[in-house]
């Protein structure tokens, strides 16, 4: 059994395996790499919650994912993607400052001038929060958050090719714009996935990922 997997992670893997093909218990145990007793515990939970159904054919038990199970699998995948991308978002708050000395020597920019770099990032992240919310209400939070992550990623890469102070300031400003277009719409996605009753739990994971 692979270590350091939470039960929710194992459940997600089991749903994905069953969704891919109808499996017997032995096939699921082998593919998920879990002991038999653990499988039986999770099987009971999945059957009780009507996420899977159990069919008997030629004295063999086969498992099939239900429509409810497919929704659960899809929801888990999307939530995991949002929370992991939050970590990528968080990295961009701190990935330039440790390199200030190297940037200063290679681009002949004083350290005092480089203090503008994080300021421009925060400027972009702050000013474009409201426009991001307006655009999200028109085009939807998913498209807006994806656009923000694309902008953030592209200009983070371009920051490594900056040739003077003005270019790096522009690139970091655009990284901040991407962060703004990602942050609030991503919260909207989580709210739609988990509903009003469980949005607090989702937000807890979302904000915790920033500190990791």
């Amino acid at each position: 059994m692979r270590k350091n997997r939470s039960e929710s992670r194992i459940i997600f893997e089991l749903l994905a395996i069953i969704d891919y093909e109808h499996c017997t218990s032995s096939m699921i145990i082998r593919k998920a790499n879990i002991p038999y007793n653990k499988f039986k515990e999770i099987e009971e939970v999945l059957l009780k919650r009507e996420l899977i159904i159990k069919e008997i054919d030629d004295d063999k038990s086969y498992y099939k994912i239900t429509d409810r199970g497919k929704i659960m699998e899809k929801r888990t995948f999307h939530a995991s993607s949002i929370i992991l991308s939050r970590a990528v978002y968080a990295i961009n708050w701190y990935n330039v400052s440790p390199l200030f000395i190297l940037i200063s020597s290679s681009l002949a920019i004083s350290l005092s001038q480089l203090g503008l770099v994080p300021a421009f990032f925060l400027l972009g992240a702050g000013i474009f929060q409201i426009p991001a919310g307006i655009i999200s209400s028109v085009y939807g939070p998913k498209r807006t958050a994806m656009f923000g992550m694309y902008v953030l990623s592209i200009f983070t890469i371009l920051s490594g090719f900056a040739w003077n102070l003005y270019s790096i300031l522009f690139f970091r400003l655009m990284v901040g714009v991407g962060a703004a277009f990602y942050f609030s719409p991503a919260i909207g996605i989580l709210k739609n996935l988990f509903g009003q009753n469980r949005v607090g739990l989702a937000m807890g994971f979302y904000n915790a990922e920033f500190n990791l």
Side-chain angles (χ1 to χ4, degrees), residues 109-169:
I109 302 173
S110 67
L111 290 175
S112 60
Q113 289 177 315
L114 284 176
L116 292 171
V117 173
F120 268 65
F121 168 81
L122 293 173
L123 191 66
I127 292 176
F128 284 87
Q129 290 281 343
I130 294 177
I134 296 172
I135 292 174
S136 178
S137 66
V138 176
Y139 294 101
K142 181 179 178 180
R143 291 182 179 180
T144 308
M146 288 179 64
F147 170 76
M149 187 53 65
Y150 284 139
V151 171
L152 185 149
S153 301
I154 290 170
F155 282 95
T156 296
I157 294 171
L158 290 176
S159 296
F161 297 94
W163 57 91
N164 58 25
L165 176 63
Y166 300 108
S167 63
I168 195 171
L169 290 180

Side-chain angles (χ1 to χ4, degrees), residues 3 10 15 23 34 39 42 63 73-74 112 149 201:
K3 297 180 179 180
I10 296 173
L15 289 175
C23 300
I34 57 175
F39 167 74
I42 295 177
Y63 298 87
E73 180 192 10
K74 184 177 180 181
S112 60
M149 187 53 65
L201 175 65

